[in-house]
């Protein structure tokens, strides 16, 4: 049957093309449309045929090697009783597809729920033959067995489109797909960012950066060319080494804006790292009352942001605090006293809006897969009347759980609070060994996320899959992803402790530049649609 349909498609192409180009056109025309095409998906939940059907009702199956049996329906659907599965006891290549015609021209989004063993050469959803460039979304490995929702968008011109599920897999590799839908509208990510807070210090100490081809250049320009459109900069109040202070942020913000990128300013309200385990007041603010702290937060926030505005680099987004799961400016601003924490947050946000009403206010927590934490925290923020625009999350899979937990949390909080969500920190190692002799934060295979090796391919897949999960947040509320410290390479003197020049860097194996300072393949995913 598949061969008959392909012959019919070739005849139609023949009428529209010269005989000399027929062979080329035939090779490009895979797969062919079905004989009975419809304008809506048929049997989108694979419920029509029961178990063991190689070509489900409404769908077609194609395999150049005659491996159609690797595509079949079986019990255990996500929403109903059945699902589509690709699997074989030997290596296989197979495609399950459905051709639609009579579509109104415009943007469309395919949504599907998927699971995967991982390990395939490729496994992806595609929208092809739609009158514009083919669009794909790769399936992530799901070792926890949870279903993940993915989306793929395309512009339809000419009224037709093919929905395609593809596997190029080894023996025993499998995917499950269920509950597909095709709806009007498009998806995409507005923020494809990079945190370049350590870049200036690296450069000053001799750090260099190269394109993937080995050409030395400006790191920001290289990252912008890869697709980055946001630069994130942390601000410390009075750091020991003089970096990440107001003056350095102003300088680097100029460079970011000169690249045509936007600026996200991350206020730590500390002289050093602030995170869920440490929210240390700046030395200059120590011993002062809560009332004075609210004034300092306002003045510091306003001062930095107004200086950025004055030099023509107004901040596009501002974080009021960094990973403030447990509050900030301890003990006064701890979550043990929500009314005081809310007062500090309101003070910082009002300063930011006073400088620029269009600057987006983000509130940032770590542990991006912990929905109970986010509900508790943002319910309290709402009860205290804290106004903000964006919920920002840190999500490192080796600490914060599987992608399914991230998706469940993003879906819930974006709907519960009516806010856009941004994974403002993520990263993954491309190797485990250290370049500078300092122990890396992630340096053993036991610490890795299952399905993602410490390799250039594993790092790229991680960033790709996090971006795909954020893109799939309903109602366009998935704002984007920021890769944390892609330029923090192993440069002597640019270590963890700003007070200790001999401290090492435990992050160089998670940068987006390798140990030869060349841009890594993962950076290419910054060009995500």
């Amino acid at each position: 049957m598949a061969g008959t349909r392909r012959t019919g498609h070739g005849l139609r192409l023949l009428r529209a093309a010269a005989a000399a180009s027929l062979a080329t056109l035939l090779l490009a025309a895979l797969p062919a449309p079905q004989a009975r095409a419809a304008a809506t998906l048929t049997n989108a939940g694979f419920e029509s045929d029961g178990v063991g059907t190689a070509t489900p009702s409404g769908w077609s199956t194609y395999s150049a090697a005659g491996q159609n049996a690797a595509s079949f329906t079986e019990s255990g659907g996500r929403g109903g009783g059945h699902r589509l599965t690709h699997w074989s006891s030997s290596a296989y290549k197979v495609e399950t597809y459905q051709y639609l015609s009579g579509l109104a021209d415009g943007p469309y989004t395919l949504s599907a729920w998927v699971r995967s063993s991982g390990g395939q050469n490729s496994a992806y959803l595609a929208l092809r033959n739609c009158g514009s460039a083919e669009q794909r979304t790769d399936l992530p490995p799901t070792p926890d067995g949870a279903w993940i929702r993915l989306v793929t968008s395309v512009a339809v011109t000419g009224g037709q489109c093919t929905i395609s599920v593809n596997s190029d897999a080894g023996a025993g590799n499998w995917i499950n797909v269920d509950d597909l839908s095709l709806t009007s509208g498009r998806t995409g990510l507005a923020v494809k960012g990079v945190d370049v807070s350590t870049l200036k210090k690296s450069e000053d100490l001799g750090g260099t950066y190269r394109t993937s081809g080995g050409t030395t250049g400006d790191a920001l320009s290289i990252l912008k060319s890869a697709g980055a459109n946001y630069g994130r900069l942390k601000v410390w109040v009075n750091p020991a080494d003089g970096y990440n202070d107001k003056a350095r942020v102003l300088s680097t913000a100029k460079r970011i804006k000169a690249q045509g990128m936007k600026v996200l300013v991350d206020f730590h309200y500390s002289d050093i790292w602030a995170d869920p385990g440490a929210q240390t007041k700046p030395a200059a603010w120590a011993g002062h009352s809560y009332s004075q702290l609210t004034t300092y937060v306002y003045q510091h926030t306003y001062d930095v942001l107004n200086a950025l505005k004055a030099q023509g680099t107004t901040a596009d987004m501002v974080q009021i605090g960094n990973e403030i799961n447990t509050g900030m400016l301890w003990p006064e601003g701890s979550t043990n006293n929500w009314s005081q924490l809310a007062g500090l947050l309101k003070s910082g946000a009002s300063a930011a809006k006073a400088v620029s009403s269009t600057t987006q206010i983000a509130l940032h927590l770590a542990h991006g897969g912990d929905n109970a934490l986010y509900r508790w925290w943002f319910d309290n923020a709402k009860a205290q009347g804290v106004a903000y625009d964006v919920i920002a999350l840190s999500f490192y899979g080796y600490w914060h759980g599987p992608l399914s937990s991230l998706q469940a949390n993003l879906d819930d909080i974006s709907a519960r609070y009516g806010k856009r969500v941004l994974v403002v920190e993520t990263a993954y190692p491309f190797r485990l060994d250290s370049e500078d002799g300092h122990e890396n934060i992630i340096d053993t295979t036991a610490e890795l996320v299952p399905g993602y090796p410490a390799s250039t391919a594993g790092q790229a897949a991680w960033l790709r899959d996090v971006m795909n999960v954020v893109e799939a947040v309903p109602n366009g509320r998935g704002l984007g992803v920021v890769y944390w410290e892609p330029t923090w390479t192993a440069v002597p003197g640019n270590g963890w402790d700003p007070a200790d020049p001999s401290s090492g860097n435990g992050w160089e194996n998670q940068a987006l530049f390798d140990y030869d300072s060349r841009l890594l393949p993962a950076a290419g995913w910054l060009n995500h649609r």
Side-chain angles (χ1 to χ4, degrees):
M1 291 296 293
T4 300
R5 285 191 293 273
R6 288 174 54 73
T7 300
H9 188 47
L11 290 173
R12 286 193 295 277
L13 289 172
L14 181 59
R15 298 188 191 105
S21 62
L22 177 58
T24 300
L25 288 170
L26 285 171
L27 288 172
L30 299 176
Q34 287 186 299
R36 296 190 183 94
T40 58
L41 274 171
T42 300
N43 194 21
F46 304 99
E47 298 299 321
S48 299
D49 308 286
V51 173
T53 303
T55 304
S57 299
W59 295 86
S60 297
T61 305
Y62 174 74
S63 173
Q67 298 169 306
N68 288 27
S71 168
F72 54 92
T73 55
E74 63 178 343
S75 59
R78 177 194 168 269
H82 300 86
R83 67 196 183 208
L84 175 71
T85 292
H86 286 181
W87 175 87
S88 177
S89 59
S90 58
Y92 64 95
K93 294 183 182 180
V94 71
E95 175 182 16
T96 309
Y97 65 96
Q98 187 170 152
Y99 170 73
L100 301 182
S101 67
L103 298 170
D105 286 354
Y108 286 82
T109 294
L110 173 70
S111 176
W113 289 87
V114 305
R115 300 191 299 191
S116 171
S117 65
Q120 298 92 344
N121 296 318
S122 62
Y124 60 91
L125 308 174
L127 293 171
R128 57 174 48 146
N129 305 325
C130 306
S132 59
E134 177 179 324
Q135 296 296 311
R136 297 182 177 183
T137 299
D138 297 273
L139 274 63
T142 55
D144 61 339
W147 291 89
I148 296 281
R149 187 185 61 259
L150 297 179
V151 296
T152 306
S153 293
V154 75
V156 171
T157 59
Q160 60 187 20
C161 193
T162 299
I163 288 80
S164 178
V165 180
N166 299 262
S167 293
D168 177 357
N173 294 155
W174 57 267
I175 65 169
N176 298 150
V177 179
D178 204 1
D179 298 334
L180 294 93
S181 65
L182 186 72
T183 56
S184 297
R186 63 167 48 90
T187 62
L189 297 179
V191 176
K192 293 162 280 190
V194 286
D195 187 313
V196 289
S197 297
T198 62
L199 174 60
K200 178 59 176 168
K201 186 173 182 180
S202 174
E203 292 171 332
D204 288 350
L205 293 170
T208 59
Y209 301 90
R210 298 184 177 90
T211 66
S212 58
T215 302
T216 300
D218 176 77
L220 283 170
S221 177
I222 292 170
L223 290 167
K224 169 64 186 305
S225 295
N229 64 2
Y230 252 86
R232 181 179 186 242
L233 297 171
K234 68 171 173 277
V235 187
W236 289 336
V237 176
N238 187 25
D241 61 0
Y243 287 89
N244 301 300
D245 64 355
K246 173 185 170 182
R248 304 287 187 177
V249 167
L250 290 172
S251 175
T252 306
K254 276 187 177 181
R255 294 174 57 189
I256 292 170
K257 290 279 191 173
Q259 292 292 335
M261 299 164 65
K262 294 184 177 182
V263 171
L264 191 169
V265 179
D266 173 18
F267 284 96
H268 282 226
Y269 301 111
S270 181
D271 293 335
I272 198 167
W273 304 98
D275 55 45
Q279 295 283 339
T280 307
K281 287 195 289 286
W285 302 4
H288 292 268
S289 68
Y290 167 72
S291 177
Q292 288 171 312
L293 290 175
T294 61
T295 299
Y296 292 150
V297 166
Y298 188 97
Q299 291 174 339
H300 173 61
T301 306
Y302 188 94
D303 180 47
V304 173
L305 296 181
N306 195 50
L308 284 166
K309 180 180 179 180
Q311 71 173 11
T313 60
T314 300
D316 299 280
M317 189 182 299
V318 171
Q319 287 179 222
I320 307 302
N322 186 78
E323 296 189 333
I324 52 176
N325 305 34
T326 51
M328 64 188 204
L329 294 168
W330 290 346
E332 289 81 2
S334 164
T335 50
N336 291 328
N337 190 332
W338 254 102
S339 63
Q340 290 195 172
L341 172 57
L344 294 170
L345 296 172
K346 291 175 183 177
S347 184
S350 63
K353 291 294 189 180
V355 173
S356 169
S357 62
T358 61
T359 295
Q360 296 285 286
I361 305 299
L363 300 180
H364 171 210
L365 308 186
H367 302 98
D370 188 346
N371 183 239
L373 164 68
Y374 278 72
R375 280 190 167 213
W376 168 79
W377 202 98
F378 282 96
D379 280 358
N380 275 288
K382 182 177 180 179
Q384 295 291 334
V386 178
Y388 61 97
D389 303 298
V390 174
I391 297 175
L393 311 87
S394 293
F395 185 74
Y396 300 96
Y398 39 73
W399 293 327
H400 299 155
L403 288 170
S404 58
S405 294
L406 172 65
Q407 181 165 81
N409 190 32
L410 293 176
D411 289 359
D412 179 67
I413 61 178
S414 63
R416 184 178 180 88
Y417 306 108
K419 302 295 183 182
R420 301 191 77 181
V421 288
L422 171 66
V423 173
V424 79
E425 290 188 23
T426 195
Y428 203 76
F430 62 91
R431 59 194 293 171
L432 293 175
D433 61 311
S434 175
E435 185 180 12
D436 64 359
H438 182 81
E439 182 181 4
N440 289 333
I441 291 175
I442 302 299
D443 64 353
T444 69
T445 56
E447 295 172 306
L448 298 175
V449 179
Y452 298 91
S455 64
T456 57
Q459 182 189 56
W462 177 257
L463 179 56
R464 176 199 73 197
D465 293 345
V466 171
M467 297 181 90
N468 285 341
V469 165
V470 176
E471 185 186 14
V473 175
N475 300 312
R477 288 184 172 141
L479 189 56
V481 175
V482 178
Y483 196 94
W484 196 70
E485 290 287 9
T487 61
W488 198 2
T489 52
V491 177
N494 194 13
W496 277 98
D497 187 352
D500 180 7
S502 67
S503 62
N505 176 6
W507 198 257
E508 75 270 18
N509 67 325
Q510 299 195 62
L512 290 181
F513 292 86
D514 68 15
Y515 289 4
D516 293 320
S517 301
R518 293 184 184 228
L519 189 71
L520 287 160
W525 286 102
L526 295 171
N527 199 30
H528 192 286
R529 60 179 171 269

